[in-house]
Amino acid sequence: MAKNQYIFANARIRTKELALLDKPFFDQLLACKNYDDCLLLLANKGWGTSGEESAEQILSKEREKTWELVSELVEDISVFDTFLYGNDFHNLKAAIKQVYINEEVPNIYITHGTIKPEIIYDAVKKHDFSTLPEHMIKCADEAYQVQMHTGDSQLCDVIIDKATLDTIYKRGKASGNELLAEYAELKVASADLNIAIRGFKTGKKKEFLERALAPCDSIDINRLMEAALDKEEAIYDYLSNTVYADAVQAIKESPSTFERWCDNLIIRRIRPQKHNPFTLSPIAAYILARENEIKSVRILLSGKLNDLPDSSILERLREMYV
Amino acid sequence: MDSYGIVFALLGAVLAALLSGIGSAIGVGMGGEAAAGVITETPSSFGKVLILQLLPGTQGIYGLLIAFITLSQIGVIGGSAEMSLAKGFLYFCACLPMAIVGYFSAIRQARVSVASIGVVAKKPEQFGKAMIFPAMVETYAILALLVSILAITGVTGLNI
């Protein structure tokens, strides 16, 4: 009866949710005089151990903590691969670029993926993609050929980004979990909106949009593409008739507001999981909540480091899960 | 054919203990998983979550009680175990409310207990309120227990 209900895991997650950063804490962080005060406040909250780590080290450690906890709670961690495919494809991009320029570039790989960055690098270096997972082989080869023969990094990125979205969508929908499926849908839909808007603003042609847009249930990519090739208002008109009508205002404000809107949308959709004691969904929601707070802390610290006004930092901060 | 009366009566007693016991075992198991999850992070909540874990265990006790009463009434424990087929069937029917309601209410109560353990994990001070929710499910197990007891004692008085 209790099989696949993740009762133990969810009870632990309930307790862990108490330690998630909330809005009052971010207000405190924002009120800190400088970057160092922020690090001190974070250290009091248990972020960072020695007090001498850099912000990136602290954030990386927090991500590690999340995945350590999840691997304790869930026997087969591959159920959360939907969240990690993005890192794999990022590493693929980095490896292709590194091989192309033939130089050692430090800290370009993300450690948390479904496969080790070294395997990806070796595959690219040897031009033997058979060691990569099936969903990466075709796009890795295509992106490699484009990068090596034409030097067109943008096209290389487009090929990999499209494969990322297709993989997230396919695996998310096939996961059998409602939250993972919804995450995949929102991730692909928001990426498509982003591509359409940027495509319009940079005057991209139909071929580019056809190559970049990934299909999903909530967006008709053909109509979106037509709108993006027409005029800005056409994109807004199309969006007004979709479930993403709220996005129009955010897009009009600024690209960063739109990015914030996309992240907030996911957080709002997963928030009901705070009250769900069964299934995999609350654990998945916790992972997303942790990623969201790590992203928000990074934005805030980066703002403080660069002496940005509090109002500018505030408008970039994401909504919190708790 | 009359000798089959005792078979039905005994089957009723067994089902009452068996189904309620299975329901409670599943329920207490679910509660235990959730309780262990909370204790891993906050050992101080042990007393509170233990109570919530044990709530779905009562159906098993009620089932045992019904089985014991039935066994006593039909004479399997300390008496002559002879009765008509009709009477045996009536005993069987009398045990069914506890058997069926016991099984399902224990599992449903366990789900509420697990949810309540989640409440205690986040807000230990809300333990009193959190306990009321699974306790409400108990009402129906108690009603089934009463009906079974009344029916068993009633059947005993029938001269058939």
Side-chain angles (χ1 to χ4, degrees):
Chain A
M1 190 71 193
K3 200 184 171 197
N4 293 333
Q5 295 199 11
Y6 300 94
I7 295 170
F8 171 81
N10 283 323
R12 275 190 77 182
I13 287 294
R14 281 293 97 88
T15 318
K16 287 286 183 188
E17 280 170 3
L18 293 171
L20 287 175
L21 307 183
D22 52 12
K23 192 176 178 302
F25 182 78
F26 273 95
D27 290 342
Q28 270 181 285
L29 270 180
L30 203 60
C32 286
K33 281 180 189 161
N34 53 40
Y35 175 79
D36 290 331
D37 285 356
C38 288
L39 289 186
L40 201 65
L41 192 59
L42 283 167
N44 290 338
K45 194 80 178 170
W47 286 49
T49 45
S50 67
E52 290 171 1
E53 300 117 317
S54 68
E56 257 330 298
Q57 283 172 321
I58 292 172
L59 299 179
S60 168
K61 182 74 190 160
E62 287 305 312
R63 182 169 286 123
E64 263 173 46
K65 279 189 205 169
T66 307
W67 287 102
E68 271 170 28
L69 173 70
V70 173
S71 56
E72 271 179 46
L73 298 178
V74 181
E75 229 169 85
D76 178 14
I77 205 169
S78 68
V79 288
F80 296 119
D81 279 356
T82 311
F83 298 147
L84 301 175
Y85 290 130
N87 296 347
D88 290 340
F89 283 101
H90 164 88
N91 289 340
L92 177 62
K93 267 189 216 173
I96 291 176
K97 305 283 167 62
Q98 192 180 340
V99 170
Y100 179 67
I101 61 170
N102 198 21
E103 256 179 53
E104 191 74 27
V105 187
N107 303 323
I108 55 168
Y109 295 103
I110 299 174
T111 48
H112 290 92
T114 64
I115 44 167
K116 289 182 178 169
E118 299 85 49
I119 297 175
I120 298 176
Y121 177 72
D122 282 346
V124 175
K125 195 165 188 195
K126 292 173 188 164
H127 191 204
D128 172 16
F129 300 114
S130 59
T131 50
L132 298 183
E134 210 184 322
H135 58 265
M136 288 181 88
I137 295 174
K138 196 179 159 203
C139 100
D141 193 36
E142 196 183 348
Y144 179 89
Q145 301 291 356
V146 166
Q147 183 69 54
M148 297 301 157
H149 296 134
T150 68
D152 188 343
S153 297
Q154 193 187 37
L155 183 56
C156 169
D157 286 355
V158 167
I159 292 164
I160 296 175
D161 287 341
K162 171 81 178 346
T164 311
L165 294 174
D166 286 342
T167 307
I168 290 174
Y169 193 76
K170 196 175 157 194
R171 300 300 167 103
K173 293 284 176 181
S175 68
N177 178 276
E178 209 176 299
L179 187 133
L180 292 176
E182 188 166 15
Y183 167 80
E185 182 69 39
L186 294 175
K187 197 80 186 162
V188 175
S190 56
D192 281 345
L193 296 183
N194 217 345
I195 292 164
I197 294 152
R198 287 186 184 184
F200 169 76
K201 286 186 174 165
T202 53
K204 294 290 181 199
K205 295 211 163 67
K206 192 178 180 186
E207 294 72 39
F208 173 87
L209 293 173
E210 274 176 342
R211 191 146 209 178
L213 290 171
C216 64
D217 287 342
S218 54
I219 295 271
D220 180 343
I221 55 167
N222 292 320
R223 286 189 60 192
L224 183 65
M225 190 162 51
E226 280 169 23
L229 292 168
D230 186 8
K231 54 186 178 179
E232 200 168 356
E233 283 304 318
I235 300 176
Y236 300 151
D237 285 345
Y238 170 66
L239 281 184
S240 302
N241 296 315
T242 67
V243 289
Y244 306 110
D246 295 349
V248 174
Q249 190 56 37
I251 296 166
K252 283 179 180 171
E253 276 183 43
S254 67
S256 68
T257 309
F258 175 61
E259 268 182 41
R260 182 176 186 262
W261 178 88
C262 294
D263 288 341
N264 287 349
L265 180 67
I266 292 176
I267 288 297
R268 281 177 205 158
R269 296 282 180 93
I270 64 170
R271 215 172 256 147
Q273 297 307 326
K274 281 195 295 181
H275 313 294
N276 176 12
F278 302 104
T279 76
L280 197 68
S281 301
I283 309 165
Y286 178 78
I287 297 170
L288 291 174
R290 285 281 286 162
E291 287 296 329
N292 185 56
E293 69 177 14
I294 288 170
K295 188 185 268 185
S296 290
V297 169
R298 179 179 283 115
I299 289 168
L300 196 141
L301 289 177
S302 155
K304 287 283 179 188
L305 194 62
N306 295 299
D307 287 328
L308 288 183
D310 287 355
S311 56
S312 300
I313 300 173
L314 192 61
E315 71 182 19
R316 285 173 173 78
L317 286 182
R318 273 53 175 163
E319 277 180 25
M320 290 295 111
Y321 181 61
V322 289
Chain B
M1 195 67 184
D2 265 5
S3 58
Y4 284 112
I6 190 66
V7 175
F8 276 107
L10 193 62
L11 185 64
V14 167
L15 282 180
L18 195 71
L19 291 180
S20 300
I22 291 171
S24 281
I26 293 171
V28 174
M30 287 167 73
E33 277 186 58
V38 174
I39 296 308
T40 311
E41 304 296 334
T42 49
S44 58
S45 298
F46 175 73
K48 288 171 182 167
V49 293
L50 181 69
I51 294 170
L52 290 168
Q53 183 206 349
L54 290 178
L55 281 175
T58 50
Q59 282 83 346
I61 299 169
Y62 300 157
L64 175 74
L65 181 66
I66 290 300
F68 189 76
I69 294 172
T70 309
L71 293 176
S72 302
Q73 297 289 340
I74 63 177
V76 170
I77 298 176
S80 162
E82 281 180 17
M83 71 184 69
S84 65
L85 178 64
K87 199 165 185 176
F89 195 71
L90 288 176
Y91 274 119
F92 174 78
C93 293
C95 291
L96 284 184
M98 192 64 249
I100 296 169
V101 178
Y103 176 78
F104 287 106
S105 69
I107 292 171
R108 299 312 296 186
Q109 192 174 31
R111 291 180 68 88
V112 189
S113 280
V114 168
S116 292
I117 286 170
V119 174
V120 171
K122 276 193 165 176
K123 295 180 176 172
E125 72 280 3
Q126 299 298 330
F127 170 68
K129 288 176 190 165
M131 203 178 70
I132 289 173
F133 301 124
M136 298 302 280
V137 186
E138 190 76 16
T139 313
Y140 302 95
I142 293 171
L143 293 180
L145 172 71
L146 287 176
V147 169
S148 284
I149 290 175
L150 288 173
I152 291 163
T153 49
V155 170
T156 308
L158 293 177
N159 193 17
I160 51 171

